[in-house]
């Protein structure tokens, strides 16, 4: 059973993530309006916000430790927040600042925080194999850490995902695959591109359990993930979890969403996993004043991170040429040994 | 006297016009890609096509590049004329085997008994801070493997003529269009790619580079977005009394070495400008080709390309690595 303190932690993560996305949306659109110009404004590039996905981040990561690896896709912020990624440095990265997680080199789709074993990347399903690799390392080293790969429902048709399921299954690796089903892959509705209704059904073909959580209810996600993460930690192999979430915003900022029926947009806006969790908190005896206080804490933390990020310096252009190698180009040595390769006596 | 053309189109409209014309004339032409139906292509590459031709011929496909690019190879081998799109060229890696080992090689491996008349369209290029996985051009990667024709339009006029030729060609063609040139509202194009475009059908032959500006002092060889940056550089060099010629390659495979060499024989100074990585790529190849054919005519050589780093995200960093008009200008000055 989920404890009141776990409920509060999930609420904090989710409220932080929601406020974060709403504030990033504002910051991002600054300078890009009225005519949307992707290359203007304080936050450069593409921005994929995860409002409506929060339960999938918090409900799963609640069971993870810092040494458990998480890979996330192009819509990563809610997962990063739930995994405990340094919010200030993550925000600085999104603003393209020198003190960002990747010194401004990676950006919002390429966040790396090795302190809490988090990474994300932008090519569909490409985070799955590295998560399998983290599971493989745990198995070889005989530790009880686990790995979680997040992906969208649009990613379940990608080879990197399907091959990873098989590899994790045949090696009994401690990996949990988490599909966030928001019904859309940019403009493509799920049923246009995939013939199974539930991504979790893919598990059957790989001899692993598949579980779907039909509503974005943080407690239901928590329960399903406890079993899946527990199974991995106990070395009983991988699990495929699917969580129904919803997309409250466009695919990326600036997406006109002309392809999306208004009812669908309204339905997404009407479902709110955070409000649902507030009811769970009340039922667990947490009073409204405390909920308000948690929300205020979350919002303050976001504001502080954004302000901090904006105060950070931009990178020096010359830094573009740094960070290519850990070792110098010559490798671990710059001298070649002097063997007599001719051999023989003379 | 050639007729005067007044109608101007953006590059995306010109590209779509050619595709629509071919689709009207030939039932066997169809388009596959992610978000090409209702969305009309993230970079407007299929805007309006689904409305005219329906979902069966303007097909949204699963995010399974290996499957649908390979399926385009297969359908082409059956004699159809598929066009398959990589939303960003950077995603080629997911399907590299189908591209490199089938699309490019099946004609040759079959002793030309099999043909692969498909077009692979791909959005390329940076300048809007989309970082390392969504900003590459990969021109060199595509041109490197033998067996694909590789074309890169720089204006609406080229976009249409090259697309007609690409669809009609019996060989696989990679058609690499630069996002910054398409004329998309949210990704404003520079002046230049929007050009007069004839209403009628016309084909531009591959392997015919176009001299976009004539000059006697230096030859700037480039392609895609950098044609426009080179023209800007040439304008400001003219103020300093330096007269640069700008050669737009238009296709990498086949490569029109003759036009480049003719220009070098006039100017003696070669500046190759590329938005791909510096090493093992377009700049080195052009320099080597000129050296092969006209070493004696070469007085100086400059390469302007991305340094060998992944494309960084932050604006000052991206600006540092992607060549701009100033970088081109400086390179030309170094040859004088
Ligand atoms: C291999 C590859 N193909 C295409 C894309 C372009 N792309 C980015 S996000 C996206 C849709 C993803 O949908 P889904 O997996 O459901 O995630 P969501 O965006 O809904 O969270 C696509 C097609 C990509 N990044 N990588
Ligand atoms: Mg989705």
């Amino acid at each position: 059973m989920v404890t009141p303190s776990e409920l509060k932690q999930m609420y904090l993560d989710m409220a932080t993530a929601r406020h974060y996305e709403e504030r990033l949306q504002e910051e991002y659109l600054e300078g890009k309006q009225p005519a949307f110009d992707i290359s203007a404004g304080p936050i450069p590039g593409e921005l994929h916000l995860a409002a409506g996905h929060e339960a999938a981040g918090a409900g799963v990561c609640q069971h993870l430790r810092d040494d458990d690896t998480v890979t996330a896709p192009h819509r990563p912020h809610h997962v990063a927040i739930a995994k405990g990624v340094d919010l200030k440095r993550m925000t600085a990265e999104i603003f393209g600042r020198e003190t960002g997680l990747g010194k401004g080199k990676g950006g919002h789709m390429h966040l790396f925080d090795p302190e809490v074993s988090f990474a994300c990347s932008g090519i569909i399903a490409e985070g799955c194999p590295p998560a399998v690799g983290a599971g493989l390392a745990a198995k070889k080293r005989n530790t009880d850490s686990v790995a979680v790969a997040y992906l969208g429902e649009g990613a379940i048709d990608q080879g990197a995902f399907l091959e990873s399921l098989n590899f994790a299954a045949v090696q009994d690796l401690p990996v949990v695959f988490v599909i966030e089903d928001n019904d859309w892959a940019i403009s493509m509705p799920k049923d246009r591109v995939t013939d199974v209704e539930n991504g979790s059904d893919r598990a059957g073909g790989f001899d692993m359990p598949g579980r779907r959580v039909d509503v974005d209810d943080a407690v239901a996600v928590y329960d399903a993930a406890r079993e899946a993460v527990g199974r991995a930690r106990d070395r009983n192999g991988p699990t495929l979890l699917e969580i129904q979430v919803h997309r409250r915003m466009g695919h990326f900022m600036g997406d006109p969403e002309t392809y999306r029926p208004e009812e669908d947009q309204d339905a997404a806006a009407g479902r709110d996993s955070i409000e649902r969790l507030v009811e769970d908190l009340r039922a667990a005896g947490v009073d409204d004043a405390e909920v308000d206080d948690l929300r205020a804490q979350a919002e303050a933390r976001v504001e502080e991170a954004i302000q901090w990020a904006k105060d950070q310096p931009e990178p020096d252009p010359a830094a573009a040429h740094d960070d290519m190698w850990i070792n110098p180009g010559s490798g671990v040595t710059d001298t070649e040994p002097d063997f007599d390769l001719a051999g023989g006596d003379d | 006297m050639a007729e005067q053309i007044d109608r101007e189109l953006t590059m995306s409209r010109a590209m779509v016009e050619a595709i629509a014309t071919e689709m009207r004339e030939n039932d066997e032409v169809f388009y596959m890609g992610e978000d090409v139906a209702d969305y009309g292509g993230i970079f407007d590459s299929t805007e309006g096509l689904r409305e005219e031709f329906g979902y069966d011929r303007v097909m949204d496909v699963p995010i399974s590049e290996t499957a649908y690019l390979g399926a385009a190879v297969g359908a082409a081998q059956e004699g159809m004329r598929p066009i398959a799109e990589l939303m960003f060229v950077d995603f080629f890696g997911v399907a590299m085997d189908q591209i490199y080992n089938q699309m490019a090689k099946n004609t040759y491996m079959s002793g030309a008994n099999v043909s692969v008349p498909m077009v692979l369209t791909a959005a390329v290029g940076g300048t809007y801070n989309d970082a390392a996985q969504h900003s590459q051009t990969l021109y060199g990667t595509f041109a490197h493997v033998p067996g694909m024709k590789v074309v890169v339009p720089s204006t609406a006029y080229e976009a249409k003529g090259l697309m007609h030729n690409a669809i009609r060609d019996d060989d696989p063609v990679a058609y690499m269009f630069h996002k910054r040139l398409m004329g998309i509202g949210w990704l404003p194009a520079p002046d230049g790619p929007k050009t007069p475009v004839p209403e009628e059908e016309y084909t531009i032959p591959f392997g015919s580079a176009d001299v976009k500006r004539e000059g006697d002092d230096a030859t700037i060889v480039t392609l895609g977005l950098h044609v426009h940056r080179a023209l800007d550089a040439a304008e400001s060099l003219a103020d300093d009394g330096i007269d640069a010629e700008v050669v737009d390659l238009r296709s990498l495979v086949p490569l029109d070495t003759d036009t480049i060499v003719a220009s070098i024989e006039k100017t003696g100074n070669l500046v190759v400008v590329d938005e791909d990585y510096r090493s093992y790529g377009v700049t080195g190849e052009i320099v080597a080709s000129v050296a092969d054919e006209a070493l004696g005519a070469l007085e100086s050589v400059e390469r302007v390309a991305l340094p060998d780093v992944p494309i960084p995200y932050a604006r000052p960093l991206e600006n540092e690595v992607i060549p701009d008009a100033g970088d081109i200008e400086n390179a030309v000055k170094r040859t004088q």
Side-chain angles (χ1 to χ4, degrees):
Chain A
M1 260 291 281
V2 57
T3 65
S5 82
E6 287 174 316
L7 282 176
K8 284 193 246 176
Q9 184 58 48
M10 288 199 287
Y11 179 77
L12 262 179
D13 288 344
M14 290 169 64
T16 304
R18 175 68 59 83
H19 190 63
Y20 192 70
E21 302 297 57
E22 288 173 350
R23 287 287 291 111
L24 280 192
Q25 177 175 36
E26 282 172 28
E27 296 285 337
Y28 181 79
L29 290 176
E30 193 184 306
K32 294 189 178 73
Q33 282 174 329
F36 183 72
D37 175 354
I38 193 171
S39 35
I43 300 180
E46 273 185 88
L47 190 64
H48 309 84
L49 299 180
H53 284 226
E54 295 86 357
V60 175
C61 292
Q62 189 59 42
H63 302 285
L64 302 181
R65 311 184 306 229
D66 285 355
D67 63 318
D68 294 327
T69 292
V70 167
T71 64
H74 56 285
R75 199 179 300 289
H77 303 161
H78 61 304
V79 182
I81 287 168
K83 186 65 171 70
V85 169
D86 184 321
L87 193 64
K88 286 182 175 166
R89 293 188 61 214
M90 162 171 148
T91 311
E93 186 64 24
I94 294 167
F95 278 81
R97 302 305 167 107
E98 189 179 77
T99 48
L101 287 170
K103 306 179 197 168
K105 293 191 161 100
H108 118 96
M109 278 190 277
H110 317 104
L111 302 164
F112 295 83
D113 190 351
E115 298 287 317
V116 295
S117 310
F118 176 88
C120 63
S121 61
I123 312 273
I124 296 301
E126 75 174 349
C128 295
V132 170
L136 184 63
K139 180 181 169 187
K140 285 185 180 295
R141 289 169 166 173
N142 212 5
T143 69
D144 70 346
S145 56
V146 305
V148 177
Y150 279 86
L151 57 146
E153 93 296 334
I156 66 168
D157 305 317
Q158 191 61 286
F161 167 60
L162 296 163
E163 294 179 32
S164 293
L165 288 182
N166 186 57
F167 191 39
V170 74
Q171 290 283 335
D172 283 321
L173 299 179
V175 183
V176 180
F177 298 91
V178 179
I179 302 167
E180 295 179 272
D181 176 5
N182 65 5
D183 300 317
W184 293 92
I186 313 187
S187 71
M188 304 196 301
K190 200 165 60 165
D191 61 357
R192 188 175 300 166
V193 290
T194 306
D195 244 3
V196 291
E197 202 180 314
N198 298 329
S200 52
D201 292 346
R202 292 269 196 267
F206 297 94
D207 192 28
M208 71 170 76
R211 198 45 220 285
R212 181 177 156 87
V213 179
D214 261 322
V215 279
D216 49 350
D217 169 349
V219 174
V221 175
Y222 172 96
D223 287 338
R226 184 178 50 191
E227 199 180 320
V229 172
R231 195 175 120 82
R233 225 181 273 297
D234 296 342
R235 313 247 192 97
N236 291 320
T239 301
L240 175 57
L241 265 190
E242 181 175 49
I243 300 162
Q244 179 73 56
V245 294
H246 58 284
R247 206 177 83 188
R248 297 173 80 87
M249 298 173 172
H251 171 76
F252 34 45
M253 289 296 95
D255 177 359
E257 290 196 285
T258 44
Y259 52 81
R260 187 174 180 183
E262 218 166 282
E263 312 84 74
D264 187 77
Q265 254 156 337
D266 294 345
R271 288 155 48 187
D272 194 341
S273 56
I274 299 183
E275 290 309 314
R276 186 192 292 272
L277 186 58
V278 170
E279 277 158 39
D280 291 319
L281 282 163
R282 283 196 194 109
V286 181
D287 64 30
D288 285 1
E290 198 175 348
V291 172
D292 289 346
D293 184 51
L294 290 171
R295 188 187 296 261
Q297 277 178 41
E299 295 185 358
R301 187 169 163 238
V302 168
E303 296 306 332
E304 194 191 356
I306 290 177
Q307 195 52 52
W308 186 84
K310 288 164 72 171
D311 290 343
Q312 298 303 298
E314 296 211 306
D316 176 2
H321 306 276
D322 302 339
D323 298 321
M324 272 307 292
W325 315 110
I326 303 298
N327 289 151
S330 60
V332 296
T333 179
D334 58 6
T335 43
E336 187 168 345
D338 186 18
F339 295 119
D340 178 4
L341 299 176
D345 296 333
D346 47 3
Chain B
M1 260 293 284
E3 70 180 294
Q4 165 113 23
I5 308 292
D6 290 327
R7 183 187 67 144
E8 290 201 347
L9 294 183
T10 60
M11 204 166 97
S12 75
R13 290 317 310 160
M15 172 178 167
V16 169
E17 184 167 282
I19 297 167
T21 304
E22 295 293 332
M23 288 182 74
R24 265 175 231 131
E25 288 172 5
N26 185 348
D27 287 344
E28 304 253 284
V29 179
F30 64 100
Y31 204 107
M32 287 194 279
E34 292 143 9
D35 304 284
V36 300
D38 298 340
Y39 204 105
I42 299 298
F43 301 103
D44 290 358
S45 55
T46 57
E47 187 73 50
L49 291 177
R50 194 267 302 156
E51 287 77 354
E52 178 173 353
F53 299 101
Y55 289 100
D56 285 345
R57 294 185 67 199
V58 184
M59 293 173 59
D60 271 347
V61 294
I63 308 173
S64 309
E65 283 81 1
T66 289
Y68 78 80
L69 291 179
V73 172
Q77 288 176 176
E78 296 296 322
M80 295 193 78
R81 301 248 156 199
I83 307 169
E85 175 173 295
L86 275 174
M87 184 190 294
F88 291 73
V89 76
D90 313 68
F91 309 157
F92 83 109
V94 168
M96 190 161 182
D97 178 58
Q98 296 297 324
I99 298 169
Y100 252 54
N101 285 319
Q102 300 225 62
M103 176 176 160
K105 291 179 183 161
N106 284 359
T107 300
Y108 183 82
M109 292 193 298
S110 69
N113 285 314
V114 168
S115 69
V116 190
M118 66 176 281
V119 181
L120 169 62
T121 52
V124 307
T127 73
Y128 63 100
N129 317 103
D130 218 356
Q133 298 182 333
H134 291 73
S135 301
Q136 302 169 102
T137 64
L138 301 179
Y139 295 139
T141 304
F142 277 73
H144 177 66
V145 73
M148 287 185 286
K149 295 174 182 171
V150 179
V151 307
V152 185
S154 65
T155 73
Y157 169 76
E158 266 97 19
K160 178 168 166 172
L162 291 171
M163 180 56 84
H164 275 296
N165 202 19
I167 296 172
R168 293 178 197 179
D169 198 288
D170 290 324
D171 294 314
V173 178
Y175 182 103
M176 308 177 85
F177 58 90
H178 200 292
K179 292 164 245 175
R180 184 52 94 187
L181 296 179
M182 291 293 270
I184 304 159
W186 50 270
L187 193 55
D191 290 338
K194 188 170 182 185
T195 58
V197 177
E199 304 264 358
E200 70 250 34
E201 300 166 25
Y202 59 95
T203 47
I204 294 177
F206 304 149
S208 65
D210 184 46
V211 177
K212 287 267 185 312
R213 182 184 196 281
E214 294 192 13
D216 292 329
D217 298 329
T219 301
I220 307 174
V221 177
T222 187
L223 72 173
L225 173 67
H226 282 74
V227 169
H228 305 282
R229 295 192 169 186
L231 289 168
D232 288 346
E235 283 310 307
S236 77
L237 285 162
D239 296 339
D240 296 336
I242 301 170
D243 201 9
E245 181 144 304
V246 177
V247 178
D248 175 5
L249 287 171
R250 303 202 294 190
S251 71
L252 287 168
V253 181
L255 181 66
D256 179 4
T257 318
D258 291 350
T259 298
I260 305 168
V261 166
S263 179
I264 291 303
E265 280 170 347
K266 179 169 65 166
T267 68
N269 298 309
L270 173 61
V271 178
V272 192
V273 181
D274 183 20
E275 198 187 320
D276 198 359
Y277 306 114
R278 178 181 173 91
S279 295
Y280 305 100
V282 172
T283 54
E285 186 57 35
I286 301 293
V287 172
S289 300
V290 174
D292 277 347
E293 304 223 351
L295 188 56
L298 267 180
E299 286 160 31
S300 62
V301 168
E302 285 286 334
R303 293 207 258 168
V304 184
L306 259 67
D308 294 324
V309 296
I311 298 172
Y313 166 75
R315 222 172 261 137
L317 301 179
E318 194 199 39
N319 289 343
E320 165 73 10
V321 304
I322 298 187
D324 59 20
D327 297 321
I328 301 171
E329 236 180 283
N330 291 336
V332 171
K333 284 183 179 157
R334 286 194 296 271
T335 68
Q336 299 299 303

